[in-house]
Amino acid sequence: MNHRSESKKKISDLNLFMGLMPYIKPYGHLLITSIFLIFCIIGLDLVLPYLTKIAIDNFILSENKGFVKIFFYSTDSFVNLAIVFVCAIILIFIIDFFQSVLMEYTGQKIILNLRKKMFEHMLFVPVSFYDKSLVGRIVSRITNDIENMNEMFSSILVFIFKDMTLMISIMVIMFFYDVKFALATISVVPLIVAAVVFFSRISRKAFRIMREKIAAMNHSFSENIGGMNIIHTTGISGYILKKFDKLNYENFEAGLLQIKIFGTFMPLIELMNLICLTIIIMYGSVRVHEGDITIGVLVAFMTYMKMFFRPVRELSEKFNLLQNAFSSAEKILNILNTKKAVDPEKPLPLPETIETIEFSDINFSYKKDVPVLKNISFNIKKGESIGIAGKTGSGKSSLINLLTGFYTPDSGEILINSKPLSEYKIMDIRSKSAIVMQDPVVFSGTVRDNLLPDSKNKDDAYLEECLKKAGCSFFFEKGAGLDFEIGEGGRPLSSGEKQLLCIARAFAFDPELIIFDEATSYIDSESERKIHKAMHRLMEKRTSLLIAHRLSTLGGTDKILVLKQGRIVESGSHEELMVKKGEYFGLVTNEKFIDRNIV
């Protein structure tokens, strides 16, 4: 079932915005304030060419220097006009400063909220999602891709809004001055729009490939660093390097494609700018010569057009970042759109105790038409211990995945106290159970943190007693006890010590149902003996389900179920099954033969 893949569903720009809106909405008041400040900046920017026109037509070239009205202010002094001009520039600087700080703050708050929501969502998606996803890619989504979104929220979207508003305003003002001149000036605008649309499509594709390659490299880093001991001891570093080089070069090619796109787009915009200025100078000179417009209007048109192409250039630069951010947004929303595990609308109340567990005619498959479990039926009573035996791939661990609600059966039902498991809140059932897995899961932090993440309701004496019951006295021998620091991957604990700590964690949760999923695999004989003792102490007066590769672990269970190719082919106690000399007898005999040959 190692068909791990990542959703590559493409999302339109509109749907991207709609998908991100719930994370932007809480900070709408900050965005509105920032947009208001942007309007103030745009208004002041547009005033400057107007003041330049007045200075040229009414003071520099005019012989009759009378009073000039500037909105609500009249003056006949060029110095006063210059003071107004300087005040406008200073005001633009002050407002722009506050707008930038406000927008950066808003962007950081949105990213904070988005990262939190994404991690929270990932805590409640079905376990099947993680079985089909690569760890490196998931980490890349919550780190690199979220960080890519930061630039979009903090500056790109607002500046694009600012630039678009500025360009539209400039066109309106030019039409107000002279319709014919304005039409001639904006004749290149349709070409600009066509270029933006064309380059947006191919640029998004390039950035999408880049995000996928970066995620693949992150996974490669994570996988190879975790297996560095094997890489060194097997001498496959050359193969690993070659494999990484291929990924790295593919990422380089994707980046090169993006550079080529951007390198073509920018000169094209500059060419259109030159064409537009040429039209303004040539056509404007004719209009000035004919007396249709003043030199001040011509200069204003040139200034406005320069202002028009400034945001076009900025848009082309930000457009590059925006496409990258949109590519990241696609990846993020594909995860956020993954459905969470759903509880029933009217769940049954949490049972006081789990009296019975029943598998009734269960059929299950990970892939369609590839059955893993077939017509599985058995029951477990309170306080009873059931062992599950079978060869690798017989479906043993799949029983655990169904009982814990990680997956749902294709047909049949799992009953808790004669009620369907699907009618309970799965977290209610999980709160009464604990699982000790084949690969012990230990988190970075102290031993106390690993026993109970929130141990405020349990005193140290209780936690220390749990450690002693699990045979973890070595933590006290090392001096630190509950405050012993554990590093990444459980370092410096051995495999056996990590497994004992997992059993201590189960003691701390005090479950009614305890599940052991091949808890003694890959453990040395001394550690196995300690784990067996700890397991039997934990199983006392508890309902337990044991899956074991080493059949000696199942010797003390009340009943053993033997699976073969997804079916229960035998059931009974150890002694009864040995007398039958069937499948179980063959497994035990084979294990003893292997043990003798190893010795």
Side-chain angles (χ1 to χ4, degrees):
M1 197 196 69
N2 195 21
H3 54 293
R4 298 189 175 191
S5 60
E6 181 179 44
S7 175
K8 296 183 180 179
K9 183 180 178 182
K10 298 178 182 178
I11 305 175
S12 68
D13 291 352
L14 178 61
N15 287 335
L16 279 176
F17 279 115
M18 295 304 295
L20 293 171
M21 192 55 65
Y23 310 101
I24 300 173
K25 194 174 180 180
Y27 310 101
H29 61 291
L30 297 176
L31 286 172
I32 290 171
T33 304
S34 184
I35 289 169
F36 171 75
L37 294 177
I38 284 173
F39 276 125
C40 293
I41 294 169
I42 290 172
L44 290 168
D45 275 337
L46 294 173
V47 165
L48 297 181
Y50 173 70
L51 295 176
T52 303
K53 171 194 171 296
I54 291 175
I56 293 172
D57 288 343
N58 295 87
F59 290 100
I60 298 174
L61 299 180
S62 176
E63 295 180 1
N64 300 317
K65 296 180 175 61
F67 276 89
V68 177
K69 190 173 183 180
I70 308 170
F71 300 110
F72 304 106
Y73 173 70
S74 297
T75 183
D76 62 347
S77 170
F78 182 75
V79 174
N80 290 342
L81 180 65
I83 291 171
V84 172
F85 194 92
V86 171
C87 287
I89 292 174
I90 293 172
L91 201 55
I92 289 172
F93 173 79
I94 293 171
I95 296 174
D96 191 50
F97 170 78
F98 284 106
Q99 188 274 329
S100 297
V101 171
L102 179 62
M103 199 60 243
E104 285 290 338
Y105 173 79
T106 305
Q108 291 294 332
K109 290 289 288 184
I110 292 173
I111 289 300
L112 178 71
N113 182 38
L114 182 59
R115 185 177 278 119
K116 178 187 174 184
K117 292 291 185 182
M118 186 174 179
F119 189 71
E120 180 183 319
H121 182 84
M122 290 168 67
L123 289 175
F124 294 99
V125 297
V127 172
S128 57
F129 168 80
Y130 296 99
D131 288 341
K132 298 174 183 177
S133 304
L134 298 172
V135 174
R137 284 182 176 170
I138 296 173
V139 172
S140 183
R141 299 294 159 256
I142 205 167
T143 52
N144 297 345
D145 287 315
I146 289 284
E147 198 55 40
N148 267 352
M149 300 294 294
N150 180 33
E151 184 71 17
M152 183 173 78
F153 287 129
S154 62
S155 60
I156 295 173
L157 289 182
V158 171
F159 278 111
I160 285 177
F161 173 79
K162 173 187 174 183
D163 292 341
M164 292 295 293
T165 305
L166 180 61
M167 287 190 293
I168 292 170
S169 300
I170 288 170
M171 285 191 286
V172 170
I173 290 171
M174 288 194 298
F175 273 98
F176 176 78
Y177 276 133
D178 191 284
V179 175
K180 291 181 180 180
F181 201 180
L183 286 171
T185 302
I186 66 169
S187 58
V188 298
V189 171
L191 295 176
I192 295 172
V193 173
V196 169
V197 172
F198 173 75
F199 281 102
S200 68
R201 291 176 179 173
I202 57 177
S203 181
R204 176 78 67 83
K205 182 180 179 181
F207 277 115
R208 188 181 291 118
I209 295 171
M210 282 182 66
R211 301 316 311 161
E212 290 171 1
K213 297 306 176 185
I214 289 171
M217 284 197 299
N218 283 341
H219 171 68
S220 179
F221 278 132
S222 175
E223 188 176 57
N224 292 328
I225 289 171
M228 197 57 71
N229 291 343
I230 300 299
I231 292 172
H232 284 309
T233 55
T234 55
I236 60 171
S237 54
Y239 166 77
I240 295 297
L241 181 59
K242 186 177 179 181
K243 189 176 177 182
F244 177 77
D245 279 346
K246 183 175 181 294
L247 275 175
N248 197 26
Y249 188 76
E250 288 173 353
N251 180 60
F252 165 77
E253 286 185 319
L256 199 60
L257 174 60
Q258 174 263 324
I259 291 169
K260 289 176 180 177
I261 293 167
F262 189 60
T264 305
F265 186 57
M266 281 295 287
L268 184 61
I269 295 299
E270 288 297 329
L271 176 62
M272 292 179 184
N273 183 19
L274 291 174
I275 292 171
C276 196
L277 283 174
T278 302
I279 292 171
I280 291 173
I281 293 170
M282 293 180 65
Y283 184 67
S285 299
V286 172
R287 298 294 300 280
V288 170
H289 182 71
E290 293 176 350
D292 295 334
I293 61 172
T294 65
I295 293 178
V297 171
L298 175 60
V299 172
F301 260 75
M302 291 179 67
T303 307
Y304 279 126
M305 191 46 57
K306 184 177 179 182
M307 289 176 64
F308 182 88
F309 273 92
R310 184 185 67 199
V312 169
R313 282 191 294 269
E314 289 178 356
L315 274 172
S316 63
E317 292 173 4
K318 290 182 175 65
F319 174 79
N320 203 25
L321 297 172
L322 183 64
Q323 292 305 312
N324 193 15
F326 275 1
S327 179
S328 293
E330 279 183 334
K331 305 296 182 185
I332 291 167
L333 288 179
N334 280 334
I335 290 180
L336 289 172
N337 290 337
T338 302
K339 292 182 179 179
K340 294 182 180 180
V342 180
D343 286 319
E345 290 185 8
K346 295 181 179 179
L348 295 172
L350 174 67
E352 289 187 15
T353 59
I354 297 178
E355 299 291 342
T356 59
I357 300 170
E358 182 181 354
F359 280 64
S360 177
D361 199 25
I362 294 293
N363 290 279
F364 173 68
S365 58
Y366 294 105
K367 294 182 181 179
K368 190 176 181 181
D369 300 325
V370 185
V372 176
L373 296 175
K374 308 165 191 173
N375 307 113
I376 299 293
S377 296
F378 66 92
N379 61 74
I380 312 172
K381 297 177 182 177
K382 182 180 178 180
E384 191 175 21
S385 60
I386 299 293
I388 309 292
K391 294 178 180 178
T392 300
S394 60
K396 304 187 296 298
S397 294
S398 296
L399 292 174
I400 306 302
N401 287 337
L402 295 177
L403 180 57
T404 51
F406 295 158
Y407 288 85
T408 55
D410 298 335
S411 63
E413 284 188 320
I414 299 174
L415 306 174
I416 305 292
N417 295 351
S418 301
K419 302 289 184 181
L421 176 64
S422 58
E423 293 184 12
Y424 290 99
K425 280 187 177 180
I426 192 61
M427 292 307 296
D428 285 347
I429 302 302
R430 290 174 184 170
S431 69
K432 289 183 169 290
S433 60
I435 182 168
V436 179
M437 305 182 74
Q438 177 178 349
D439 296 316
V441 178
V442 178
F443 300 99
S444 300
T446 64
V447 170
R448 180 186 284 103
D449 296 334
N450 272 274
L451 290 178
L452 284 177
D454 184 4
S455 56
K456 293 178 182 177
N457 298 327
K458 302 291 183 181
D459 56 28
D460 285 359
Y462 174 80
L463 298 179
E464 288 172 359
E465 182 62 25
C466 291
L467 287 174
K468 290 174 182 176
K469 287 179 180 178
C472 293
S473 57
F474 52 86
F475 285 119
F476 302 101
E477 294 168 4
K478 293 177 181 180
L482 291 171
D483 295 317
F484 182 86
E485 284 286 341
I486 299 172
E488 183 182 358
R491 297 183 182 91
L493 302 180
S494 68
S495 296
E497 288 172 335
K498 286 189 282 187
Q499 197 64 284
L500 289 171
L501 178 58
C502 290
I503 293 174
R505 181 194 295 149
F507 270 114
F509 276 91
D510 191 22
E512 288 185 36
L513 170 65
I514 179 68
I515 301 168
F516 293 98
D517 187 2
E518 308 215 35
T520 58
S521 296
Y522 318 125
I523 301 294
D524 62 87
S525 57
E526 178 61 24
S527 296
E528 183 179 359
R529 184 181 61 79
K530 292 179 181 178
I531 291 171
H532 278 171
K533 286 184 178 180
M535 286 171 59
H536 287 300
R537 282 194 289 267
L538 182 57
M539 289 165 59
E540 288 177 6
K541 299 180 181 180
R542 290 185 174 92
T543 307
S544 54
L545 184 64
L546 285 82
I547 292 175
H549 179 70
R550 295 188 63 82
L551 300 178
S552 57
T553 308
L554 306 180
T557 56
D558 297 318
K559 185 195 294 185
I560 297 172
L561 305 177
V562 184
L563 267 65
K564 183 177 182 180
Q565 296 180 351
R567 298 181 185 274
I568 296 176
V569 294
E570 291 178 348
S571 66
S573 66
H574 172 75
E575 291 76 14
E576 291 171 346
L577 293 175
M578 290 301 289
V579 169
K580 287 183 179 180
K581 293 190 176 182
E583 181 71 16
Y584 181 77
F585 177 82
L587 292 172
V588 173
T589 303
N590 187 53
E591 181 179 295
K592 289 180 178 179
F593 174 78
I594 292 172
D595 288 344
R596 280 199 305 270
N597 279 273
I598 291 174
V599 174

